Amino acid sequence: MAAVRTDDPFDTLGLPASFSLEVSRIERAALAKLALLHPDGVGGGDAASDEIEVQAARINAARDVLVFSLSRAEALLKRLGGPSKEADKSLPAGFLMEIMSVREQVEEAIAGNDASARATWTTWAMEQRKAMESRAAELFAKAQTDSAALREVRTHLNQWRYIERMIEQLDPAYDAGSSDVGGTA
């Protein structure tokens, strides 16, 4: 198997650069790539074994990025040449005040160990995630013909990140010391 030498998760898994990939397709692509690395099919000594480990790690990392919709969106925006979250921290007008108000209520529910309120906020946040995913798909479609839309995508992803962070913190198993949006520390 030819060595995969890219940090682009779409290329690594041989998938089209699209936000609208189904998780099952991502999983199948990763498994197919990993199957090609099986030691029985590759052969070789320690050097080959080391290369297999490197390739497997790249494939697994690509899978991890693409299977989570926000990180898939970030990878696609990067591939399309859009601004990074470090370079552009813009948010929609009024969003920060709105989310701060919501966060206060969420924090009260968590601090008060109010399971009903926590469930209500979790449902709200999950609905927000669905809306964010839907809007991201629309924005990426727009960006195919209007490169200026990439800044709009960036602003949207910045907003979406707040929702993901809230979902994470609403999880009773959340550990601030070992978690972050997308399941990576």
Side-chain angles (χ1 to χ4, degrees):
M1 175 177 168
V4 177
R5 298 285 182 205
T6 180
D7 290 331
D8 183 295
F10 299 100
D11 288 345
T12 299
L13 296 184
L15 291 169
S18 170
F19 177 72
S20 301
L21 291 173
E22 292 182 13
V23 171
S24 60
R25 184 172 181 192
I26 296 164
E27 295 285 3
R28 282 191 312 272
L31 287 173
K33 294 283 185 176
L34 288 168
L36 294 173
L37 295 177
H38 193 277
D40 291 345
V42 177
D46 289 339
S49 178
D50 290 346
E51 181 62 21
I52 289 170
E53 286 182 30
V54 168
Q55 293 302 321
R58 283 191 179 121
I59 291 166
N60 286 325
R63 179 214 162 272
D64 290 347
V65 166
L66 295 183
V67 85
F68 184 59
S69 56
L70 178 57
S71 58
R72 181 179 340 116
E74 290 284 358
L76 183 56
L77 183 60
K78 178 181 177 181
R79 180 179 174 126
L80 295 174
S84 70
K85 61 186 173 197
E86 294 80 17
D88 183 348
K89 298 182 184 300
S90 59
L91 290 165
F95 174 76
L96 204 49
M97 292 303 294
E98 178 185 333
I99 201 69
M100 286 173 62
S101 174
V102 169
R103 299 245 0 145
E104 285 179 24
Q105 296 173 63
V106 167
E107 288 170 7
E108 286 176 21
I110 292 171
N113 206 21
D114 185 342
S116 175
R118 182 180 228 147
T120 298
W121 283 114
T122 299
T123 299
W124 177 86
M126 297 303 276
E127 290 169 356
Q128 292 295 307
R129 175 192 274 167
K130 276 192 169 303
M132 293 287 173
E133 289 175 338
S134 178
R135 181 69 178 140
E138 293 169 8
L139 290 171
F140 277 118
K142 180 179 175 183
Q144 296 298 319
T145 58
D146 177 10
S147 63
L150 295 176
R151 292 190 59 76
E152 191 175 353
V153 172
R154 169 78 276 143
T155 300
H156 180 71
L157 298 185
N158 291 345
Q159 180 182 9
W160 184 356
R161 208 165 155 72
Y162 279 85
I163 300 302
E164 290 300 332
R165 183 75 172 146
M166 186 177 298
I167 291 169
E168 180 180 78
Q169 291 174 324
L170 281 162
D171 182 349
Y174 171 71
D175 175 6
S178 65
S179 298
D180 193 6
V181 172
T184 59

